[in-house]
Amino acid sequence: MFEKFSQKSMSATSEKFDTIIGRTTIIQGTLILRDSVRIDGKVLGNIEADAGSKITVAIGPTGEVTGDIKAHRVMVAGKVFGHIHAVDRVEFQKDSWVQGDISYGSIAVEHGAKLSGLILQNKSLDESASASGAQAVIQSAQSTKNTG
C-alpha cells in the first residue's frame, strides 16, 4: 500500500498541463476539466474531471484549493481544504497540507505532509472507476464511523 520514495522528487513528472492557474490568480466556482491542470493560485470551489478520463490535478507549493477535487490523479504540494477523490493515484509532497477525506487507488506521502481526515483506499479500480464510486467509499466509511 505504501511505497518507498526514490531520491527524485515527486514533482518530476512528464505530465503535460494545458492549463496553469498562476500564483496571483483567484478563481471562484466549479472547474470542469477536460485536460490536466496545475494550480499555483487559489481555487474557491470544486474541481471535477470527466469520469474515466486520465486527467491530473496538480496543486503547486503556492496553490490552494477550498473545495472537493475529483480526478484520475491528484498531486498536492500546497493546501487543500476539502475532500480528494483520486481514482488512480494521489501524491502528497513534504509541505502539503490537506484538511478533508481522501480516497485513492495508490498513495505516496512524503515525510512532513500534513493530512487531516479519513484516508481510504478504493476497493478496486473497477469498482471505483468514477468519482462517484470514490465518493461512495468515503460516505460508507463516514457512516461506519458515525455508527461505531
Side-chain angles (χ1 to χ4, degrees), residues 52-107:
S53 66
K54 303 286 184 184
I55 292 174
T56 297
V57 174
I59 295 118
T62 60
E64 186 175 311
V65 175
T66 302
D68 296 345
I69 301 171
K70 298 176 185 178
H72 182 72
R73 183 174 178 205
V74 179
M75 300 163 53
V76 181
K79 298 176 182 176
V80 176
F81 304 101
H83 304 309
I84 296 174
H85 312 287
V87 174
D88 179 45
R89 182 171 176 81
V90 65
E91 300 178 5
F92 301 101
Q93 292 188 1
K94 65 179 180 172
D95 294 323
S96 61
W97 182 21
V98 177
Q99 288 185 325
D101 298 338
I102 300 161
S103 70
Y104 62 91
S106 67
I107 189 170

Side-chain angles (χ1 to χ4, degrees), residues 14-33:
S14 61
E15 186 76 36
K16 179 184 172 214
F17 296 102
D18 290 324
T19 304
I20 298 175
I21 298 171
R23 64 176 44 191
T24 60
T25 303
I26 299 173
I27 295 179
Q28 282 188 296
T30 300
L31 294 180
I32 308 293
L33 303 178

